[in-house]
Amino acid sequence: MQADFQLDKPLKEARIVVAMSGGVDSSVVAALAARTGAEVIGVTLQLYDHGAAVQRTGSCCAGQDIYDARAVADRLGIAHYVLDYESRFRDSVIDGFADEYLKGRTPIPCISCNQGVKFTDLLALARELGGDCLATGHYVRRVMGSGGPELHRAADPARDQSYFLFATTAAQLDFLRFPLGDMPKPAVREIARELGLAVANKPDSQDICFVPNGDYASVVKKVRPEAAAEGDIVDLGGRVLGRHQGLIHFTVGQRRGLEIGGQPEPLYVIRIEPESRRVVVGPRRALAVRAARLDEVNWLGEAQREGLTVKVRSMAKPAAVRWDGRGIQFHQPEYGVAPGQAAVLYDGDRVLGGGWIAETVAAEAELRAA
């Protein structure tokens, strides 16, 4: 299978820099690039915990993954460099992750990583190496439109990662390439097997690569010990229902772990109040949101008010919305919308832009006043 790297020069005269995380996706991208006859340079960023992570599975950019990336590069006969970005990753991603929880927000570190370390630092490095583009293993499509390159959903909706790339700038998109956007995952693994790559059957990395066993609370407590401060669990009217062991254990929409018995109906986390360390709970209908204000909005296409859909979580179904200049208004109430999450706007399959959810407006007036 051939991949189109969308370059304006003959590929045999091109230099393609590939971001190699040590997984099957980026390994196949490197292989597809090498097949073109271009000069290929693989770059792996060591981001964290390279000692303890050597035997971990479900991670990326550490220990065993670096070894796997190097082995793939050797197999393909391409140059490969490993750069230590652990300090930069800790400052820009892990510390920010912990701080967001202290603010009662729901962070998405994968987007922060793409914004900073991967699509800023690594892209700059690719330019310094004389690359004609930076290719990654993300499942999204770069489509040439009348106004230049556009970012579109992947052909395989089950693998689409466009939600995590909404903050990509137009200048970055001009230099980036995503060769896997039109491929299903089984085809990618088959290419890896055909080439005899040891990573062909390697499990996919987990969403939060630096969180062992999914225990994000322990990571936050290690970085910010004060995050474990106790507080009250209250209902919408302020009545104390119980105590909690730290805001880091809760996100908006959560039902499990409240440990509150004797209630007439199931309770969910409606909002988190960091100043008072209160977790506010209520019935599911109280989660309904009719609007959200966005911060740090990034547009990859011309802003439009109508005909839009939005995803407020990576696995959420797109919801119809209207852009009002400061945020989004849902056509129908949406549930589980949390400050700190990203709201990514689409026109069909095209990513028009998105921003960070700063605050939400409840669908019911009496709940907004509560």
Side-chain angles (χ1 to χ4, degrees):
M1 181 179 290
Q2 296 296 320
D4 182 7
F5 284 85
Q6 301 177 327
L7 296 179
D8 295 329
K9 63 164 62 175
L11 285 168
K12 293 186 181 298
E13 300 174 11
R15 177 177 292 173
I16 300 174
V17 179
V18 179
M20 299 182 67
S21 66
V24 63
D25 297 325
S26 60
S27 297
V28 168
V29 169
L32 293 173
R35 279 183 177 181
T36 68
E39 179 187 0
V40 179
I41 300 174
V43 177
T44 301
L45 302 182
Q46 184 262 300
L47 298 181
Y48 68 95
D49 191 22
H50 62 285
V54 168
Q55 299 301 323
R56 272 190 60 204
T57 59
S59 63
C60 73
C61 307
Q64 182 65 43
D65 307 288
I66 294 174
Y67 175 85
D68 289 341
R70 187 179 296 280
V72 168
D74 288 345
R75 174 83 176 181
L76 298 174
I78 64 173
H80 180 249
Y81 300 100
V82 178
L83 301 175
D84 185 352
Y85 271 58
E86 185 169 356
S87 177
R88 174 87 166 93
F89 183 75
R90 182 177 60 249
D91 293 343
S92 64
V93 178
I94 298 179
D95 285 354
F97 175 79
D99 289 340
E100 284 289 274
Y101 269 109
L102 286 178
K103 296 175 184 176
R105 293 159 62 91
T106 303
I108 309 177
C110 296
I111 296 177
S112 300
C113 183
N114 287 329
Q115 273 186 295
V117 175
K118 290 184 178 176
F119 282 3
T120 299
D121 298 345
L122 184 53
L123 191 143
L125 174 63
R127 291 186 184 277
E128 291 176 6
L129 291 172
D132 293 293
C133 67
L134 172 66
T136 81
H138 290 98
Y139 285 84
V140 292
R141 290 182 296 144
R142 180 183 183 273
V143 177
M144 291 304 298
S146 58
E150 302 172 353
L151 187 64
H152 287 238
R153 286 191 179 101
D156 182 354
R159 300 299 306 176
D160 175 57
Q161 293 174 302
S162 60
Y163 178 83
F164 298 102
L165 301 184
F166 84 88
T168 305
T169 66
Q172 291 170 342
L173 187 58
D174 189 57
F175 193 69
L176 289 163
R177 300 295 187 273
F178 308 108
L180 305 187
D182 288 311
M183 297 185 193
K185 184 74 174 203
V188 172
R189 290 198 181 277
E190 182 59 31
I191 292 172
R193 283 190 286 269
E194 289 174 359
L195 294 173
L197 302 183
V199 297
N201 297 312
K202 185 175 181 178
D204 292 336
S205 61
Q206 63 185 31
D207 284 346
I208 304 178
C209 61
F210 59 88
V211 179
N213 304 316
D215 186 8
Y216 63 85
S218 65
V219 173
V220 176
K221 283 192 288 186
K222 183 177 180 180
V223 178
R224 300 287 186 267
E226 65 272 24
E230 297 182 5
D232 290 329
I233 300 175
V234 303
D235 64 16
L236 290 167
R239 181 169 61 96
V240 176
L241 303 178
R243 296 281 289 176
H244 65 75
Q245 302 300 309
L247 298 179
I248 54 174
H249 298 288
F250 303 94
T251 59
V252 171
Q254 179 178 330
R255 178 181 173 186
R256 295 184 179 181
L258 293 177
E259 299 181 357
I260 301 173
Q263 302 302 314
E265 58 185 321
L267 297 178
Y268 299 79
V269 176
I270 306 302
R271 64 177 180 269
I272 297 171
E273 300 177 348
E275 296 81 6
S276 60
R277 297 199 299 276
R278 296 200 313 175
V279 175
V280 181
V281 300
R284 185 178 183 274
R285 63 181 179 276
L287 287 170
V289 166
R290 68 173 177 85
R293 182 175 63 82
L294 307 185
D295 280 344
E296 300 178 42
V297 177
N298 175 63
W299 291 104
L300 275 170
E302 184 177 351
Q304 62 187 61
R305 292 183 178 269
E306 306 291 347
L308 299 172
T309 59
V310 70
K311 291 182 70 172
V312 294
R313 296 175 304 282
S314 63
M315 301 304 293
K317 292 182 178 179
V321 293
R322 178 181 183 275
W323 170 253
D324 64 12
R326 298 181 66 246
I328 50 177
Q329 298 178 5
F330 295 95
H331 290 194
Q332 299 293 330
E334 184 75 6
Y335 291 80
V337 184
Q341 292 176 320
V344 182
L345 295 162
Y346 296 84
D347 178 5
D349 281 338
R350 183 185 178 186
V351 178
L352 282 186
W356 298 101
I357 298 171
E359 59 182 345
T360 61
V361 180
E364 300 180 27
E366 63 269 22
L367 294 174
R368 294 200 303 273

